Structure formats: structure tokens, C-alpha cells
Amino acid sequence: MSSPKILDRTADRRRSTGESHQALAPLLPDDGVLRIPAAGHEEQARLEGEVFLALGAVGGLSSHPLGIVRLRPEPDRLTIRVTDAPYVVMCWADLLLPRHTGEPSGDPRDLITGVPGLRYHRDRGGIHLHRPGMPARITLTGFPARWWDRITDQMHRDYGEHLLQPHPGWTPGERAAYDADTSWPHPPGPVFSPLLRRIRATAGRGTVNSTDAWTSGGGYRMEATDGPPCPDLIHLLGDGPTGAGWQVTHKRCTCRCDHEHDHCTVDFLDPPTGIAVHYGNGRWGRTADKAHNQRMAELNAQVFG
């Protein structure tokens, strides 16, 4: 049986990633806590950051933010266990797989939805997301692979040639969108790759959680509708032993008072990049009540209906 001291050494990582102590115990160093590895190279971090931003529209569908039950972060890959709900899996495919919008625009980024260049292949290990010629991979597990096949088959019927998965390499439109994002002064990879690798830290104790982020005012805004107490989030994303190193520059926190539904705000700064992330916790108090569960059952049934 594990002693409390050993359990403490994996506690912060378990809270941030959803991994079990049993899975992490073999990785423990001789002393100290078990840290969360960063992406080992720029392209891995960039892919993770772009995937995180694209998934913001998933919304609050379960107790798992973005539908993520658990992650296994490694330097050269990120493995994500997605909740086994067909509608959540459909949202992931629809939000991530790139396609032409068909709308005229002077900005190449407006011509592509999803993550430019993203492709997938599947094997017994899961659904592997990657970019042609790029050393980066995200693997999705937790649901039957046949779901992904049925969902993407329907996407091919719905979007036709606009869906870019059949192209083995980059299309010119995707490359233009990728290059345009490269010049963005606030790249998401250095900030949101560490956050995605700790996404469970943004989940509150309730039965419905949602985490979203978007560009705002020369930085980013992040919102949790029902996030954890702010001191816990600051510990897990800040300078805690497994944190992302974010610094708090300002906060208005009501977590310790009796106003249960007051909105909390925390302004974070990522010191290496100088990028600001303005966080808000709406504390909506949502629950998976009968109406929520019935709606989710209807959405799941429609996926394969």
C-alpha cells in the first residue's frame, strides 16, 4: 500500500492530468514530486496550443473540461482520453479537422476552419492527430475507433471536397493559414500547450465544467464556467512544483466568502513570453440535472441516428 507521503508526491500531477497514482508511481524520482513534462519541441507545443483553442466551442457537456477525462503528457506526444460520449467525439472531429470555408476573405486564416494541416490515422492505439512532415502527435483514446470512422464518413458526405483530410500533404490554403499564424505576436503554443497538459486543473467540483479561451486585447482571455477555487488553480498553474510557471499580476477572488456565485477574475502573466492571460471563473453553479442528462442523451442519439 502506498504511504501518504508517496501519494502526496503525485497529488498535484494527478489533479492536473487525471492520471492515477498507480500509473505514475513507476515514474517517481528518487525524491521530490513528479513534474509534468513540457512539450519537447516547438511544433508539438504549437499543435497542442492550436488544438486547445479550437476546442473552446465544445462547451459544458460533462464534468470533464473539453470532454477530457485524462492526459498522459510526454515530451514528444500527448495522449488524451476523451469521454465516451458520441456527441463529444463528434464535436472534437468537427472542430479540429480542417476544411475550406468557401467564403472570400483577405486573411488566409478565415479561409480554413479547424487546425490547418491537421490529419489523422488510426490503429489499435487510438486516433493519432498529426501534421504532414511535422514531428508532433496527439493521440485520442477512450472511445471506440469506429465512432470516429462513422463521424468522419458523415463529415465527408456533408462537406465534400471542402474537408481536407483526404489530402496527404498540406494544401496551399492551409499552408498560407499556418504561415499567417506564425507571424502572430502572441503564439498560443508556449501558453496553451502547458495549459492543455494541465487542463484538469481548470475543472471545478461540480458535474458540469467548461473551459474556453480566445484572443483578446493583445493577449488571451480564458473562462471557466464552474472552475475550482482560485487558490487551487493558482497553485496548479502558477509556481507550484508541477505548475506552468504563470505569475499572478492581479486578482479579484470571492472564493472564501459567502457569495457563492460571484464572478472571480485572475490576471496571469507567462514570464518567458510576456503574454497575459485574463482568467474568469463564472461560478454558474450548473449541475447535470434531469434536463441536462436528457439533452445529452438526445444529442448522443442524433450522432448515429
Side-chain angles (χ1 to χ4, degrees):
M1 180 178 295
S2 299
S3 70
K5 186 175 181 180
I6 294 178
L7 285 171
D8 289 346
R9 293 168 61 194
T10 64
D12 282 357
R13 175 157 169 170
R14 286 186 283 115
R15 175 67 179 86
S16 296
T17 67
E19 296 166 287
S20 69
H21 177 75
Q22 289 75 16
L24 294 176
L27 305 177
L28 275 168
D30 292 337
D31 55 17
V33 301
L34 183 62
R35 300 183 181 276
I36 298 173
H41 51 81
E42 182 179 350
E43 284 300 333
Q44 181 70 33
R46 177 169 179 173
L47 179 61
E48 293 174 12
E50 292 181 22
V51 162
F52 171 78
L53 288 177
L55 288 173
V58 166
L61 301 178
S62 71
S63 61
H64 311 294
L66 307 181
I68 296 175
V69 178
R70 183 166 63 245
L71 308 101
R72 171 51 68 98
E74 300 173 85
D76 61 344
R77 73 176 66 185
L78 180 63
T79 301
I80 300 175
R81 184 176 183 87
V82 180
T83 186
D84 59 346
Y87 184 73
V88 174
V89 177
M90 186 198 72
C91 288
W92 273 64
D94 192 62
L95 292 170
L96 295 183
L97 296 181
R99 59 183 184 268
H100 285 299
T101 64
E103 299 292 333
S105 174
D107 190 330
R109 291 170 295 186
D110 294 334
L111 301 178
I112 303 292
T113 64
V115 178
L118 190 70
R119 302 290 186 268
Y120 72 85
H121 72 275
R122 80 172 183 90
D123 57 28
R124 295 180 64 183
I127 309 298
H128 306 291
L129 307 178
H130 60 94
R131 279 169 158 158
M134 298 288 190
R137 185 166 76 173
I138 296 174
T139 296
L140 309 182
T141 67
F143 56 89
R146 66 180 182 276
W147 289 6
W148 189 269
D149 290 339
R150 293 178 64 181
I151 289 166
T152 53
D153 285 348
Q154 184 61 51
M155 291 177 67
H156 283 290
R157 291 191 289 270
D158 291 343
Y159 300 124
E161 63 182 11
H162 290 289
L163 190 66
L164 301 176
Q165 165 65 22
H167 294 266
W170 293 76
T171 64
E174 290 176 291
R175 177 59 73 176
Y178 177 91
D179 291 342
D181 274 336
T182 300
S183 64
W184 172 245
H186 304 290
V191 175
F192 290 125
S193 168
L195 179 61
L196 181 60
R197 289 173 172 242
R198 296 165 173 81
I199 193 63
R200 298 290 312 172
T202 69
R205 299 185 179 94
T207 52
V208 180
N209 281 286
S210 174
T211 302
D212 192 5
W214 59 93
T215 58
S216 175
Y220 291 98
R221 186 163 296 278
M222 181 173 72
E223 181 176 286
T225 55
D226 295 273
C230 294
D232 296 347
L233 184 77
I234 292 169
H235 172 74
L236 294 172
L237 296 184
D239 57 4
T242 65
W246 291 5
Q247 293 180 355
V248 175
T249 59
H250 181 267
K251 69 174 180 176
R252 176 184 175 273
C253 174
T254 60
C255 290
R256 302 304 188 194
C257 72
D258 295 330
H259 306 298
E260 295 182 359
H261 300 299
D262 280 359
H263 186 271
C264 294
T265 59
V266 182
D267 292 342
F268 290 103
L269 178 71
D270 179 55
T273 63
I275 296 175
V277 179
H278 306 286
Y279 166 77
N281 181 4
R283 301 175 72 184
W284 292 7
R286 294 184 303 172
T287 60
D289 56 14
K290 183 178 180 179
H292 173 89
N293 291 333
Q294 180 176 345
R295 178 58 176 160
M296 287 305 305
E298 293 170 353
L299 291 172
N300 286 327
Q302 291 172 9
V303 172
F304 302 132

